Structures are given as structure tokens and as C-alpha cells.
Amino acid sequence: MFSRVPDDSDASEFSSDGGWIAWFSSLKGHEFLAEVDEEYIRDSFNLYGLRPRVTHYDNALEMILSDDAPDHSDLEDRHFQEVYRDAVNLYGLIHARYIVSPRGLQVMREKYMKSVFGFCPRVLCDRQHVLPVGVSDDLCVGRVKVYCAKCELQYTVRSKYADIDGSFFGTSFPHIYMLTYPTQLPLDPPRPFVPRIFGFKIHRHKGVITRKREKEREEEATR
């Protein structure tokens, strides 16, 4: 888990309204995360296989389903911190399953349409919306990245989101999302960058995207 335990610097984020899920989802830097329905978590079928992956599984699950948000005294307690870390990991693994469910996809679509995940940093992708993705489905392998469906590349996220484990989204989410909402796939291919010297193209120089498009055309021609 890369998420830190909130401290006094998060004083404005402590609220008695709602339970643990609402509180955790509202923390700064957690804007990418969907608020998983409690009903989904209480269905044991959705949690199958997660118990061996979390040390304090029962305590962590109890914390996630708690009606009360933690306060300052809770977050200063060492035992609470241990369970909290496992609760974050467990919630993240549940989250990865939830966001590819019909309801979860709808929640993530709303975020996508509102540009919550941001835009592709590649200038020639013309502010194509991106989606969060992990480099692995296992915990603590890598932090969350963003995926651009136009250039089909992954990028590092802004520092405020860098504490989120990539497994909280998994490696398949962007692709399932685009299969579910095909109308949101970019219609135009990415524009390749054309390097020039004093306005003149560099002879025989081809970028990665140009080579990729040429290869795709060749493969289509041989089918």
C-alpha cells in the first residue's frame, strides 16, 4: 500500500458525516476512487479470494463497513494504524472489482465525463481524456498511472495522486471501460510528431507512432 495514514495536515478532512467509505473516498488525492456501494461489499461473492491477500482481513472489513469515520485519536493509535493499512488494501482490491461491474462502470463514466482523471499530457493527443490503470493486479507493485486510448500509452500521474496503489484499478479497467462505452473511443488516430530542422523534415526519420501506424497498415494489407 502506498497510501499514508491521514494526520493533522488533513484536519479539514475529518468529518462525522457518513461512514468509513465516504470518509476515505473524500480524502485529498482520492478523487480517482469510486465510492463502492456497501451492498456490493456485503455480498461475500464479490470478496471471494481476497482473505489470503490481507493480514487482518476480518478487522479490516469491519472497519470498511463502519458507520463512523475515524477521528484524530483513532489515527494516533498504533493498532488502529495497522488495521487501517489493511483496510485500505482490502478496499482497494474490492474497488478494482467494483469498477468493472455495471454500477461501478457507470460511476467511473461520470468521473471520466467530468475530466476527473485528467487529459493525456501528449500535446498531439489534443486533450484526450485518460483513465486510471495499474501496472499490476498485485498490491505494492506500482502506483496508479493514467492510460490514453488515443496514443495507447501510460503516463505518470500528478503527485497528489501518486500515493494510490495501481492494483486499486487493475490492469484491465481502461480496456473494459472502452469495450463497454465504444462511442468514447477516439475516432481519429494520434497525430505523429514530425521533427524538423529550420522548418525542413528530417529525412527518413520516423517516430514511434508513425512506425506503429505503418506496421498496422501492412498487417491489414496482408490479411
Side-chain angles (χ1 to χ4, degrees):
M1 183 205 63
F2 298 104
S3 297
R4 62 181 178 82
V5 177
D7 52 30
D8 290 338
S9 64
D10 303 298
S12 62
E13 300 175 19
F14 292 94
S15 170
S16 58
D17 298 331
W20 189 95
I21 297 172
W23 167 82
F24 182 74
S25 301
S26 66
L27 291 174
K28 290 178 182 177
H30 289 188
E31 290 83 358
F32 282 12
L33 296 173
E35 192 170 319
V36 181
D37 292 335
E38 220 176 273
E39 182 180 344
Y40 182 89
I41 299 175
R42 291 187 183 279
D43 185 342
S44 59
F45 176 80
N46 297 323
L47 310 185
Y48 180 78
L50 296 183
R51 181 179 289 274
R53 303 179 67 179
V54 179
T55 305
H56 303 96
Y57 178 86
D58 292 321
N59 291 334
L61 184 59
E62 182 180 354
M63 180 179 290
I64 290 171
L65 295 173
S66 172
D67 293 329
D68 301 316
D71 55 27
H72 290 284
S73 60
D74 289 329
L75 296 171
E76 291 173 357
D77 181 84
R78 183 166 296 180
H79 175 67
F80 179 93
Q81 291 179 12
E82 286 183 14
V83 177
Y84 173 81
R85 291 188 176 91
D86 279 341
V88 172
N89 282 342
L90 179 58
Y91 183 80
L93 294 173
I94 296 170
H95 181 272
R97 296 181 177 187
Y98 176 71
I99 60 175
V100 294
S101 70
R103 174 57 188 152
L105 283 164
Q106 290 176 12
V107 173
M108 297 302 273
R109 181 179 182 275
E110 291 173 9
K111 289 179 176 286
Y112 180 82
M113 299 302 290
K114 293 177 181 177
S115 308
V116 171
F117 308 127
F119 306 95
C120 181
R122 183 176 179 273
V123 175
L124 294 176
C125 279
D126 301 316
R127 292 175 64 80
Q128 168 68 37
H129 288 202
V130 294
L131 290 162
V133 66
V135 296
S136 173
D137 295 315
D138 296 324
L139 289 164
C140 302
V141 174
R143 292 173 170 81
V144 65
K145 310 291 182 187
V146 288
Y147 169 81
C148 173
K150 195 164 193 175
C151 63
E152 298 182 326
L153 295 174
Q154 295 182 13
Y155 297 92
T156 301
V157 296
R158 292 164 55 191
S159 58
K160 67 178 291 187
Y161 305 120
D163 286 340
I164 302 178
D165 196 307
S167 64
F168 293 5
F169 300 91
T171 57
S172 303
F173 167 65
H175 317 299
I176 294 175
Y177 180 92
M178 286 301 173
L179 286 171
T180 306
Y181 304 110
T183 57
Q184 294 181 15
L185 276 167
L187 297 177
D188 301 320
R191 289 184 291 129
F193 173 72
V194 181
R196 299 174 185 270
I197 297 178
F198 302 123
F200 297 97
K201 295 181 182 179
I202 301 176
H203 184 56
R204 293 183 178 176
H205 181 92
K206 295 179 181 179
V208 174
I209 290 179
T210 300
R211 294 198 301 270
K212 179 181 177 183
R213 291 175 64 184
E214 288 181 351
K215 183 179 180 181
E216 289 174 348
R217 284 196 291 266
E218 290 174 359
E219 290 175 348
E220 289 177 1
T222 57
R223 287 174 186 171

